[in-house]
């Protein structure tokens, strides 16, 4: 961790202090997980789809160079202007140059986690360009000056009453109004004017087809379509891992995506963009931003299969109880914890430890990423590279020494039982993180070895 920066445990503690919020946050996400389970069981070939998607992505990652060049060539033939960006700085500079060339000072943006990774909004605002997020959840987060806490449900951690107060402060709604339908209708009216007046629109990309040079954007609100179809300049920002080889493969991924994300059969809008309409410019930016480095990490390359459905977040007991903002990274939850260290191992060294390694994330992943295995592998890398907290390293060394010596194990076991039974306050205090949520148990009267030896001896005598 960087000096002065709060780690996941400290940020999670602040979230957990609001017990009511934690309970409904946990319940809401688990309800979505249950919807995913119901939806997946309605199609007998679900596991075949997961396996097929995983194999397609394996093929993509093994031939990424060729597919990217094929996509660029076909997209260019379609009339799309294709750009390449190695990192966030290049990506943001390209977007700004496109807008500057057209003297555009206002832009509407649909959901794009890649642009969140690049901090595009902040970059453009500093240069005099007004940017409005048109996805309702991201719009709420933007008004409240917070990043998204979930890749599909950006403001899942907010109560409707809090959203009502945000709308009252920033949009002038009547104070005390918190009815979701009323607030949504008000936001729709406000955003409708944004769509009509913005000359430029930016979208993310869910899938890009190498065979045809087109890309697909999946939404439930239709905001990406509104922005793209009304704009003079359409920009799409895309991570290089979003490629799929053929249009025929879309059916596999579209059937998996919505069911895994929200339990829907398919997103309300699955929009194909292939060529600009007459008089419109269409730009697409292919962005690396650490993805090539992750591709070169044998143990972690499969993380690039991710289709950003959020299923691992909805099922993760740590995410559900600690909230997405506790991960101090654009992508939160289990998948974020295996992507973030690739970008900055020191800054995100704590995230792979924010997991029980229960494996539920891997079980629900639609492209069969072995997320919990990668979390464990990242822990090993972080310790080996010297980025783990000293307390954790020393604790593990002490435990290794204790467990490797029968004598030390027996001696320290006796000492521990005596402390628990005679001076429990030495353990039950604020310096013990476990004590913050639970009491330590009473010490047993004897060790398991002593109990076993005594009872085994009695059994032998009976024989």
């Amino acid at each position: 961790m960087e000096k002065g920066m709060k780690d996941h445990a400290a940020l999670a503690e602040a979230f957990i202090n609001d017990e009511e919020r934690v309970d409904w946050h946990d319940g809401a996400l688990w309800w979505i997980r249950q919807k995913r389970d119901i939806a997946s069981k309605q199609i007998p070939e679900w596991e075949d789809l997961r396996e097929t998607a995983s194999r397609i992505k394996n093929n993509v990652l093994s031939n990424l160079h060729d597919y990217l060049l094929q996509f660029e060539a076909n997209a260019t033939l379609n009339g799309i202007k294709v750009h390449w960006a190695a990192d966030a700085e290049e990506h943001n500079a390209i977007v700004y140059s496109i807008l500057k060339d057209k003297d555009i000072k206002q832009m509407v943006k649909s959901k794009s986690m890649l642009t969140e990774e690049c901090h595009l909004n902040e970059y453009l605002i500093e240069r005099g360009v007004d940017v409005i997020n048109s996805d309702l959840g991201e719009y709420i987060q933007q008004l409240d000056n917070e990043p998204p806490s979930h890749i599909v449900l950006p403001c899942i951690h907010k109560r409707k009453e809090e959203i009502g107060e945000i709308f009252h402060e920033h949009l002038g709604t009547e104070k005390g109004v918190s009815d979701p339908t009323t607030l949504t209708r008000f936001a729709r009216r406000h955003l409708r004017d944004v769509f009509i007046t913005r000359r430029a629109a930016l979208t993310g990309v869910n899938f890009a087809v190498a065979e045809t040079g087109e890309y697909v954007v999946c939404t439930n609100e239709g905001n990406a379509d509104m922005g793209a179809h009304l704009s003079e300049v359409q920009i799409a920002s895309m991570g290089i891992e979003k490629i799929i080889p053929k249009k025929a493969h879309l059916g596999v991924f579209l059937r998996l995506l919505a069911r895994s994300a929200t339990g829907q059969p398919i997103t309300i809008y699955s929009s194909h963009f292939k060529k600009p309409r007459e008089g419109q410019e269409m730009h697409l930016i292919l962005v690396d931003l650490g993805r090539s480095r992750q591709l070169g990490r044998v143990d972690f390359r499969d993380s690039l299969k991710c289709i950003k459905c959020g299923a691992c977040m909805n099922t993760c007991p740590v995410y559900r109880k600690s909230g997405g903002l506790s991960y101090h990274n654009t992508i939160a939850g289990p998948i974020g914890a295996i992507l973030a260290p690739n970008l900055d191992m020191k800054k995100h060294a704590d995230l792979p430890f924010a997991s029980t390694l229960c494996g539920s994330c891997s079980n629900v992943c639609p492209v069969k990423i072995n997320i919990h295995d990668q979390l464990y592998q990242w822990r090993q890398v972080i310790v080996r590279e010297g980025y783990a907290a000293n307390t954790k390293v020393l604790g593990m060394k002490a435990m290794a020494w204790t467990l490797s010596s029968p004598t030390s194990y027996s001696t320290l076991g006796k000492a521990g039982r005596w402390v628990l039974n005679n001076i429990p306050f030495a353990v039950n205090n604020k310096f013990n993180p476990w004590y913050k949520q639970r009491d330590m148990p009473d010490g047993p009267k004897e060790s398991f070895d002593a109990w076993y030896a005594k009872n085994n001896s009695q059994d032998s005598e009976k024989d």
Side-chain angles (χ1 to χ4, degrees):
M1 286 295 299
E2 294 181 351
K3 188 175 181 181
M5 180 179 173
K6 288 186 176 180
D7 65 3
H8 177 270
L11 294 169
E13 184 175 3
F15 186 81
I16 290 169
N17 283 337
D18 189 341
E19 189 172 344
E20 182 184 355
R21 185 190 303 274
V22 172
D23 288 344
W24 61 253
H25 185 265
D26 177 34
L29 289 167
W30 186 249
W31 174 68
I32 297 170
R33 158 67 204 268
Q34 290 176 312
K35 287 178 65 181
R36 174 262 175 206
D37 291 348
I38 293 170
S40 66
K41 287 177 173 57
Q42 289 175 344
I43 49 176
E45 65 272 26
W46 178 256
E47 289 304 319
D48 289 337
L49 286 171
R50 291 181 70 213
E51 181 64 26
T52 301
S54 181
R55 292 188 179 190
I56 292 171
K57 283 291 188 176
N58 275 335
N59 174 266
V60 168
L61 295 179
S62 297
N63 300 279
L64 188 57
H65 171 82
D66 296 330
Y67 285 131
L68 286 171
L69 292 180
Q70 182 186 8
F71 174 78
E72 179 189 30
N74 288 326
T76 302
L77 286 174
N78 294 337
I80 300 174
K81 297 181 180 180
V82 180
H83 310 261
W84 296 80
D87 52 30
E89 184 177 353
E90 286 190 10
H91 167 269
N92 294 346
I94 291 168
V95 174
Y96 181 62
S97 69
I98 294 169
L99 300 177
K100 189 176 180 181
D101 286 346
K102 294 292 183 179
D103 194 29
I104 294 174
K105 299 292 184 181
Q106 296 177 315
M107 185 176 77
V108 64
K109 183 166 76 71
S110 66
K111 186 182 290 179
S112 165
M113 296 310 295
L114 174 59
T115 60
E116 294 291 336
E117 288 182 66
C118 295
H119 303 289
L120 175 65
N121 285 17
E122 296 87 342
Y123 179 93
L124 293 178
I125 290 169
E126 287 175 0
R127 287 156 179 79
V129 179
D130 182 44
V131 184
I132 298 292
N133 290 336
S134 60
D135 174 88
L136 182 56
E138 288 205 332
Y139 182 52
I140 292 166
Q141 289 300 95
Q142 184 181 21
L143 291 175
D144 202 29
N145 197 31
E146 274 190 344
S149 69
H150 189 290
I151 57 179
V152 176
L153 312 161
C155 64
I156 185 67
H157 62 292
K158 279 184 166 62
R159 299 181 178 93
K160 61 181 182 180
E161 292 79 11
E162 293 173 313
I163 296 171
E165 284 301 309
I166 292 169
F167 275 34
H168 171 68
E169 178 183 351
H170 295 279
L171 302 181
T173 57
E174 186 178 342
K175 188 172 180 60
V177 173
S178 62
D179 174 63
T181 302
T182 302
L183 294 175
T184 301
R185 286 174 177 167
F186 191 90
R188 181 181 297 160
R189 290 197 298 270
H190 178 76
L191 288 170
R192 187 61 59 97
D193 179 66
V194 171
F195 288 125
I196 293 172
T197 57
R198 262 45 177 183
R199 294 169 54 206
L202 185 147
T203 72
V205 173
N206 289 95
F207 307 102
V209 184
E211 177 186 49
T212 62
E214 68 189 282
Y215 61 91
V216 179
V217 181
C218 302
T219 70
N220 279 330
E221 300 173 23
N223 55 307
D225 301 78
M226 286 283 288
H229 294 317
L230 293 173
S231 64
E232 298 173 22
V233 178
Q234 180 181 345
I235 306 170
S237 295
M238 168 188 154
I240 58 173
E241 80 284 6
K242 295 292 187 176
I243 289 281
I244 59 173
K246 297 182 178 181
K247 195 168 184 176
H249 297 148
L250 272 173
V252 175
F253 291 97
L254 292 177
R255 296 181 76 191
L256 288 166
L257 177 62
R259 287 179 171 88
S260 298
T262 57
Q264 300 170 248
I266 195 168
T267 51
I268 303 300
Y269 300 91
S270 299
S271 305
H272 297 238
F273 296 95
K274 187 172 184 179
K275 60 178 65 176
R277 69 175 188 276
E278 186 176 349
Q280 184 191 47
E281 280 189 17
M282 185 182 289
H283 298 261
L284 185 138
I285 310 170
L286 292 162
V287 187
D288 189 316
L289 192 56
R291 286 154 174 80
S292 292
R293 182 169 61 246
Q294 189 81 328
L295 183 64
R297 299 182 190 270
V298 176
D299 291 333
F300 307 111
R301 73 194 301 269
D302 276 7
S303 63
L304 295 175
K305 294 179 180 179
C306 179
I307 60 174
K308 302 297 188 296
C309 68
C312 61
M313 301 178 186
N314 302 337
T315 196
C316 176
V318 176
Y319 177 89
R320 297 200 320 265
K321 291 290 188 179
S322 63
L325 298 181
S326 66
Y327 287 80
H328 59 84
N329 181 55
T330 302
I331 310 295
I335 187 64
I338 61 176
L339 293 172
N342 172 62
L343 298 174
D344 190 331
M345 200 181 302
K346 181 179 180 181
K347 180 180 179 182
H348 301 299
D350 59 312
L351 295 184
F353 295 91
S355 170
T356 64
L357 301 181
C358 65
S360 186
C361 50
S362 300
N363 291 340
V364 300
C365 177
V367 289
K368 303 183 78 169
I369 302 171
N370 57 333
I371 301 175
H372 72 293
D373 289 331
Q374 292 191 38
L375 287 166
Y376 177 64
Q377 289 164 332
W378 265 122
R379 294 181 184 187
Q380 294 174 316
V381 172
I382 286 166
V383 171
R384 188 165 59 246
E385 295 296 323
Y387 293 122
N390 290 333
T391 52
K392 192 179 296 291
V393 173
L394 292 173
M396 290 298 100
K397 286 182 177 180
M399 185 60 70
W401 176 78
T402 300
L403 295 177
S404 64
S405 168
T407 302
S408 61
Y409 180 80
S410 177
T411 302
L412 291 174
K414 289 178 181 177
R417 290 192 296 278
W418 186 89
V419 168
L420 286 172
N421 289 323
N422 294 280
I423 51 171
F425 57 85
V427 177
N428 291 337
N429 59 61
K430 63 181 181 180
F431 299 106
N432 180 4
W434 281 78
Y435 183 63
K436 292 178 182 178
Q437 302 296 332
R438 58 185 68 77
D439 288 328
M440 297 297 284
D442 294 332
K445 296 179 180 179
E446 58 185 355
S447 68
F448 174 78
D449 282 345
W451 176 89
Y452 182 80
K454 180 174 67 178
N455 284 276
N456 191 51
S457 175
Q458 291 175 350
D459 290 343
S460 298
E461 291 176 1
K462 290 178 182 178
D463 293 341

